[in-house]
Amino acid sequence: VILPVLPDATFGPYGVLNPFQIWWMVVLIVGLSLLGYVAYKLFGTRAGSALAGMLGGLVSSTATTVSYARRSKEEPESSRLAALVVMIASTVVFARVLFEIAVVAWGSFADLAPPVAAMLGISAVLSAAVWLVDRRQELEPPEHENPAELKAAVLFGVIYAVVILAVAWAKERFGTAGLYTVAALSGLTDMDALTLSTARLVDSGRVAPADGWRAILLAALSNLVFKAG
């Protein structure tokens, strides 16, 4: 409803704030999260551990990590299985990143995708190994919030706008060191905004592909450290 009425023009410093493109990113992420939410509503209480991790990665891997970490504190015997769900959710994040790059920066996909795909492969192997050990147990998935609520959508739009502006400013002011700093900080709690903003800047020629995939991987590693914490 909102997307068609927004102006498709750039505003502000560095020419990176485009209301239409910002809200298009909101529609993309909310739509992706909504698919996971609908699947959770359909299969949630019957979902096995592997499916619970996949759905958690689609909706929010960080929220999934917090939920299962709390559960493992209350039920120590479920800790290994909770770790499996968190691992699978974190693996799905890399698949989600690849999908986002393909959608918003297809022209640069071949430059940005290989390192992310390598991380996806490594994470998938580790998840499969843990699943083979603990596949006989199951945990009921925690309740997730509806990602299509307007408040959540607007919040992501603001975060995306701030991140893309911060990336452009840091790259202009401090070079690649500034870009990596923004990536590490923004990746702590959210991978989507940094991935989308960096991919768009690479596709427009504002950021070199090598700097782009390094920033995305740095954000991913920062996110993993945050989840471990």
Side-chain angles (χ1 to χ4, degrees):
V1 174
I2 296 174
L3 185 64
V5 302
L6 294 176
D8 188 4
T10 55
F11 299 92
Y14 307 105
V16 295
L17 297 179
N18 183 309
F20 182 87
Q21 291 182 358
I22 290 173
W23 200 255
W24 164 232
M25 296 301 102
V26 172
V27 172
L28 172 64
I29 293 305
V30 170
L32 190 60
S33 298
L34 189 58
L35 286 175
Y37 180 76
V38 171
Y40 161 77
K41 284 299 184 181
L42 292 174
F43 307 110
T45 56
R46 302 188 301 274
S49 302
L51 182 56
M54 293 176 187
L55 297 180
L58 285 175
V59 179
S60 172
S61 63
T62 302
T64 298
T65 299
V66 172
S67 297
Y68 280 95
R70 285 174 176 168
R71 180 173 299 188
S72 69
K73 182 179 181 180
E74 298 168 358
E75 305 171 17
E77 67 278 3
S78 70
S79 295
R80 286 174 57 184
L81 191 62
L84 168 63
V85 175
V86 172
M87 187 68 197
I88 294 175
S90 299
T91 299
V92 171
V93 168
F94 291 108
R96 181 172 173 142
V97 166
L98 288 173
F99 176 79
E100 291 170 3
I101 294 173
V103 171
V104 305
W106 179 251
S108 303
F109 185 79
D111 295 318
L112 297 174
V116 179
M119 290 295 293
L120 172 61
I122 293 170
S123 299
V125 169
L126 292 174
S127 297
V130 178
W131 179 79
L132 288 173
V133 175
D134 294 322
R135 66 184 184 275
R136 291 182 180 84
Q137 291 180 289
E138 287 192 4
L139 279 178
E140 183 179 336
E143 184 68 36
H144 287 290
E145 295 182 358
N146 184 354
E149 293 181 354
L150 184 60
K151 180 180 178 181
V154 171
L155 179 60
F156 177 80
V158 171
I159 292 173
Y160 173 79
V162 170
V163 169
I164 195 171
L165 186 61
V167 168
W169 172 80
K171 185 67 170 62
E172 178 77 18
R173 188 73 179 272
F174 303 108
T176 55
L179 171 64
Y180 296 156
T181 300
V182 172
L185 293 176
S186 63
L188 286 173
T189 57
D190 182 79
M191 275 293 299
D192 294 322
L194 189 280
T195 297
L196 293 169
S197 59
T198 303
R200 291 195 70 90
L201 290 173
V202 170
D203 208 43
S204 64
R206 293 174 178 267
V207 173
D211 293 334
W213 68 255
R214 287 188 177 97
I216 292 172
L217 279 192
L218 181 59
L221 294 175
S222 175
N223 189 253
L224 289 175
V225 170
F226 179 80
K227 290 174 190 172

